[in-house]
Amino acid sequence: MELIKRFGDKRPEYLKAYRDKIINSFAYVGGRDEVGKYESGKFFSNIYELFMYAALLGLRKDYRLPIEEMDTQEFIKVSSWQPTEMVNYILMALLAKAEFDLNELEEMEEKQVEAELTSLSKLLEEYANGGFDIIQTKLQQEPSFFDNEFCFLSLLDED
C-alpha cells in the first residue's frame, strides 16, 4: 500500500531532553552490536523500540503532548523499524485517532496527501512525547518501579 510506504519514509523526532534520563537508561545506544545489546541488560535493544513503546503508551493512555521545543533528535525512517507488524499497528491506531478518511485519500492532490502524512507523523511524535512524559514522571515519583523486569508491561496496565 502506497500510504504505508510513504509513512515509512517519515523520520519522527523526540525531545533531546529524554535522551539522558530515559533513552540512555532503558535502551541500548551502541549501534548494531548484537552481543553488546544482550550484555547491556537494557529493556530495549534499539532506541526506536523505546520510541514505539512510548507511542503505544501514549496511545493507550490517550495522552499526547506537542513537541514545542526546538531541541529535538530525528530518528531513522519508520520503514527501518521492526517488527513491521508493530509499526503497522501503530499506524492503524494513529489513523483511527486522527479520524483519517482513507476514501478521501484517492481524491486528494499530492500536496494534500503529503500534508496528511506529515500530520500523522506529528501525531506519532505527540503520542510518543506523552508516553515519554509518563515514563519520566513514573521514574521521578517511583524509581524502584523500573527494577522489576515486567515494569514496562505493568506501566501499560496502570490506570
Side-chain angles (χ1 to χ4, degrees):
M1 176 180 231
E2 182 69 21
L3 178 70
I4 294 172
K5 181 187 177 309
R6 290 190 53 190
F7 183 75
D9 289 337
K10 296 295 182 187
R11 297 174 63 107
E13 298 179 349
Y14 67 94
L15 292 175
K16 284 185 181 178
Y18 294 132
R19 182 114 182 155
D20 290 338
K21 293 223 174 181
I22 297 175
I23 292 173
N24 290 340
S25 296
F26 299 121
Y28 180 69
V29 187
R32 296 179 183 241
D33 176 20
E34 293 301 318
V35 173
K37 287 179 182 182
Y38 177 75
E39 290 178 352
S40 74
K42 302 286 179 142
F43 288 98
F44 299 93
S45 296
N46 297 291
I47 298 170
Y48 72 81
E49 292 172 351
L50 179 54
F51 184 89
M52 286 194 313
Y53 173 83
L56 287 170
L57 181 61
L59 284 160
R60 169 82 169 87
K61 306 288 184 179
D62 199 21
Y63 179 56
R64 66 186 215 207
L65 289 173
I67 297 181
E68 297 172 358
E69 296 180 27
M70 295 305 290
D71 197 18
T72 60
Q73 175 69 43
E74 195 174 65
F75 271 111
I76 60 174
K77 289 182 177 183
V78 172
S79 61
S80 299
W81 298 1
Q82 296 294 322
T84 305
E85 295 82 9
M86 181 65 70
V87 177
N88 291 342
Y89 177 81
I90 292 170
L91 176 58
M92 287 186 294
L94 291 171
L95 289 170
K97 292 283 187 179
E99 298 179 10
F100 191 86
D101 188 347
L102 292 172
N103 292 322
E104 289 181 11
L105 186 65
E106 292 183 24
E107 304 299 322
M108 289 182 186
E109 292 185 22
E110 181 58 30
K111 274 200 311 195
Q112 291 174 297
V113 172
E114 188 56 36
E116 289 293 332
L117 287 167
T118 299
S119 176
L120 280 175
S121 183
K122 290 295 177 202
L123 191 60
L124 171 62
E125 291 171 357
E126 290 177 3
Y127 278 113
N129 192 34
F132 279 130
D133 187 59
I134 292 168
I135 295 167
Q136 180 173 287
T137 301
K138 190 68 162 181
L139 190 58
Q140 290 170 343
Q141 293 175 348
E142 195 180 338
S144 63
F145 176 84
F146 294 96
D147 293 342
N148 178 340
E149 65 183 298
F150 300 109
C151 59
F152 285 96
L153 291 173
S154 299
L155 196 55
L156 282 170
D157 285 337
E158 284 187 352
D159 288 329

